[in-house]
Amino acid sequence: MVTKAITAATAGINSHKIEVEIDVINSLPGINIVGLPDNAVNEARERVRAAIKNSGFSFPQGKVIVNLAPADLRKEGTNFDLPIAIGILKENGLEIPFDSNTAFLGELSLDGSLRYINGVLPLVSGLKDAGINTVFVPYENAKEAALVQGIQVFGAKHLGDIVSHYTESPLSATIVDINDFLAKNSESEYLFDFKDVKGQQKAKKALEIAAAGGHNILMSGSPGSGKTLMAKCLASILPPLELKEALELTKIYSISGLLDSKEPLMTKRPYRAVHHTASSTGIIGGGSNPKPGEITLAHRGVLFLDEMVEFPRNVLEVLRQPLEDGEIVISRAKNSVKYPAKFMLVGAMNPCPCGYFGDKEKQCTCAEYQIQRYRSRLSGPLLDRIDLIINVPRLTTEELMNSKTESESSSAIRKRVINARKIQSIRYAQEDIFTNSELSTKQIKKYCVLDNASEEFMKAASQKYQLSGRKYNRMLKLARTIADLNSSDNIKLEHLMQAFQYRVDIV
Ligand SMILES: [Zn+2]
């Protein structure tokens, strides 16, 4: 007889249902695993055998054949231990009457206890989509698993707990209120607040627009202008995550092993600051055992590149594709994985090598050609993907002395951002997007309709600045966000004119 137990395998941030078939044949004792297992799955043989024996159960006399089906999918990770062990125990005659709608996920210790595994949210989510109605997971993963609604989750501490669940003491199902999780954590403290940034009204407004519409932004300014501080303040004005976004982000952090088992739902938008010495694999993702990179960990949040010009050209250039598509495909020898990467790129740079070009008090010592060469490290196609490019001049001593002691707080700015995002989420309820920055060319035609005066203005501007189609569309998206911040249903001329102020390379 053959016993079947259901489990799952991750693929990117999704997963597939896997059938574990167990048979015992008359041969030398041992376990043989077939069906494209990787090393970690192969090592399950030793863990499973020890765990079964040390839990007080008997191991079959004969050779155990484990087949993972479908065979053409690569199986990685340690979550196969539990379904293999449970399957062997049942095949060996133990009374464990689970059916084909029940799945098992978990790594076993040699003593039979179940250990935390990565990727439980995508695994359980995929199982639910495949029609599975019950899943057993390690106790520490139970809350994360229960974020998936519509599937019964049992958290077990030990292999023996699952056997006794069917015989003497049933486990109780883990239930979480996902909306409660989200609401509880949406208001939080931030280290940096715009109220502590003096002056810089224009830059602050630009960051507010960026946050409201999810736009990429580049700030150029001398050392001491506060551009890095303002980039850090950005986290404090980002809107809370919507449930769909939170789940998507949680899947990413789950497969990356970066979740907190007590508070498994990601409730804050990520803010990832990356240094220019980081490897391209670290930024983009990949490696022999592919992992999401910083651009994926920044999904639905911010990727901050300080001193952007210092990043290796090849790293900056690989950012172009995910900036355009909102995802990254990592190719491997046998197959490829796809990770989402819809992040807001926030860059900061000096205006020239010495840092003081255009400064009101300090003299720039760079030659013209040095400045040009410095700036050309950011390619045209990359700059094309940045909606707001602004100068952030350093305040003079006098301006610093005269500026008010306290500026508008982040929480006041955040209210306007949230309002603008609400308008967008209502407008795009039937679309697969959340923000203006994600509008496709087709959607721009639908949602960025111009009146006659605005149409004329854009015609003239296109000619004057030789706007490419891509730049033209970027200006419309930006104007759409400015209109939303002003609660205006339509894009007006004033919104377009304002949008042009935030592209210093154009005007
Ligand atoms: Zn200079």
Side-chain angles (χ1 to χ4, degrees):
M1 208 196 90
V2 174
T3 299
K4 287 182 185 174
I6 303 296
T7 189
T10 51
I13 65 157
N14 298 310
S15 69
H16 304 284
K17 185 176 107 170
I18 302 287
E19 251 182 33
V20 180
E21 296 175 328
I22 311 280
D23 196 12
V24 180
I25 57 168
N26 244 338
S27 181
L28 287 175
I31 307 184
N32 200 0
I33 303 178
V34 295
L36 266 187
D38 81 344
N39 277 343
V41 180
N42 254 320
E43 286 164 5
R45 292 183 300 184
E46 311 308 324
R47 287 191 299 271
V48 166
R49 199 205 317 242
I52 287 179
K53 284 186 173 165
N54 293 330
S55 303
F57 302 114
S58 58
F59 198 83
Q61 303 288 319
K63 188 163 204 111
V64 178
I65 309 289
V66 178
N67 181 38
L68 306 174
D72 57 339
L73 284 174
R74 183 139 204 102
K75 289 90 183 173
E76 291 165 330
T78 51
N79 61 284
F80 298 91
D81 293 7
L82 182 59
I84 292 172
I86 286 287
I88 291 173
L89 291 177
K90 189 176 182 182
E91 178 67 17
N92 207 25
L94 224 58
E95 188 63 23
I96 322 173
F98 60 86
D99 61 17
S100 59
N101 291 318
T102 301
F104 302 89
L105 303 165
E107 178 184 334
L108 286 166
S109 291
L110 300 183
D111 66 357
S113 55
L114 280 158
R115 298 168 98 156
Y116 181 89
I117 53 167
N118 291 339
V120 157
L121 180 61
L123 290 167
V124 174
S125 181
L127 285 167
K128 192 227 150 193
D129 292 344
I132 299 300
N133 60 29
T134 305
V135 63
F136 288 86
V137 298
Y139 182 77
E140 293 222 298
N141 287 112
K143 273 190 173 177
E144 181 192 339
L147 292 173
V148 181
Q149 309 290 292
I151 183 167
Q152 197 165 36
V153 172
F154 293 108
K157 289 181 176 164
H158 196 276
L159 176 62
D161 294 348
I162 299 173
V163 177
S164 48
H165 171 82
Y166 285 102
T167 50
E168 45 203 70
S169 49
L171 295 161
S172 45
T174 303
I175 295 161
V176 300
D177 184 339
I178 192 163
N179 288 307
D180 186 49
F181 250 123
L182 203 56
K184 198 172 64 187
N185 295 299
S186 63
E187 282 300 324
S188 33
E189 298 269 308
Y190 294 94
L191 279 173
F192 303 96
D193 196 295
F194 276 111
K195 73 176 172 15
D196 302 320
V197 182
K198 288 187 173 179
Q200 303 295 8
Q201 291 314 317
K202 191 175 171 189
K204 286 178 187 170
K205 193 71 201 173
L207 286 162
E208 177 181 333
I209 296 168
H215 301 285
N216 302 322
I217 179 170
L218 174 61
M219 294 181 281
S220 166
S222 304
S225 61
K227 56 189 193 300
T228 307
L229 174 60
M230 283 192 282
K232 286 177 179 164
C233 288
L234 184 60
S236 63
I237 63 165
L238 295 174
L241 285 165
E242 297 201 18
L243 181 57
K244 200 174 145 197
E245 294 177 303
L247 285 170
E248 201 178 28
L249 198 58
T250 304
K251 283 186 179 178
I252 294 168
Y253 279 71
S254 175
I255 54 166
S256 308
L258 297 171
L259 280 187
D260 177 348
S261 67
K262 291 188 187 73
E263 300 279 343
L265 184 67
M266 294 289 294
T267 53
K268 260 201 224 173
R269 288 185 191 273
Y271 182 93
R272 310 288 299 186
V274 183
H275 196 259
H276 57 78
T277 54
S279 71
S280 75
T281 307
I283 295 173
I284 303 301
S288 55
N289 197 357
K291 279 205 157 175
E294 290 292 338
I295 60 167
T296 296
L297 295 174
H299 184 59
R300 301 286 176 205
V302 170
L303 182 76
F304 176 47
L305 307 184
D306 204 357
E307 300 182 54
M308 193 164 162
V309 172
E310 305 296 333
F311 279 75
R313 181 85 182 229
N314 67 320
V315 171
L316 291 176
E317 290 307 299
V318 268
L319 286 177
R320 275 166 51 186
Q321 183 254 325
L323 279 172
E324 199 62 26
D325 305 338
E327 60 184 27
I328 181 85
V329 178
I330 293 164
S331 303
R332 310 160 62 191
K334 287 204 177 85
N335 54 357
S336 57
V337 276
K338 199 193 279 180
Y339 295 124
K342 276 187 181 161
F343 56 91
M344 238 176 96
L345 176 70
V346 178
M349 63 180 276
N350 289 342
C352 65
C354 88
Y356 292 99
F357 180 81
D359 195 83
K360 288 176 211 145
E361 291 179 330
K362 278 198 184 181
Q363 185 74 36
C364 167
T365 57
C366 310
E368 176 72 25
Y369 78 92
Q370 288 176 306
I371 298 175
Q372 289 221 337
R373 196 170 58 190
Y374 182 77
R375 292 185 184 174
S376 70
R377 290 197 216 162
L378 302 183
S379 73
L382 177 65
L383 290 175
D384 253 7
R385 287 162 174 82
I386 299 178
D387 300 353
L388 300 107
I389 300 180
I390 54 163
N391 282 325
V392 184
R394 202 165 57 101
L395 297 189
T396 61
T397 320
E398 200 187 330
E399 285 168 331
L400 266 176
M401 304 280 283
N402 293 339
S403 70
K404 283 182 282 176
T405 45
E406 211 166 78
S407 313
E408 190 180 26
S409 71
S410 287
S411 70
I413 301 171
R414 189 169 186 249
K415 279 195 184 116
R416 293 196 294 270
V417 170
I418 291 173
N419 189 51
R421 283 272 179 132
K422 268 196 192 129
I423 293 172
Q424 292 168 74
S425 86
I426 294 167
R427 186 193 305 131
Y428 304 135
Q430 304 305 319
E431 311 276 358
D432 197 23
I433 60 172
F434 293 95
T435 59
N436 294 327
S437 63
E438 298 171 67
L439 285 167
S440 67
T441 309
K442 204 173 144 198
Q443 290 165 329
I444 288 173
K445 286 209 173 75
K446 188 172 170 191
Y447 297 110
C448 302
V449 181
L450 300 180
D451 57 24
N452 285 342
S454 307
E455 193 88 53
E456 286 303 313
F457 172 82
M458 282 306 281
K459 250 187 214 161
S462 304
Q463 283 187 341
K464 185 175 171 192
Y465 304 121
Q466 306 274 310
L467 291 187
S468 63
R470 185 177 270 144
K471 271 198 182 129
Y472 185 95
N473 282 342
R474 302 238 144 211
M475 299 318 286
L476 288 183
K477 291 188 208 179
L478 204 51
R480 182 64 269 173
T481 300
I482 295 167
D484 289 338
L485 276 169
N486 289 290
S487 300
S488 169
D489 285 344
N490 300 312
I491 298 175
K492 294 182 184 154
L493 184 56
E494 65 201 75
H495 305 136
L496 279 170
M497 288 165 77
Q498 210 184 325
F500 273 82
Q501 291 175 27
Y502 296 109
R503 276 300 300 238
V504 289
D505 61 330
I506 293 178
V507 291

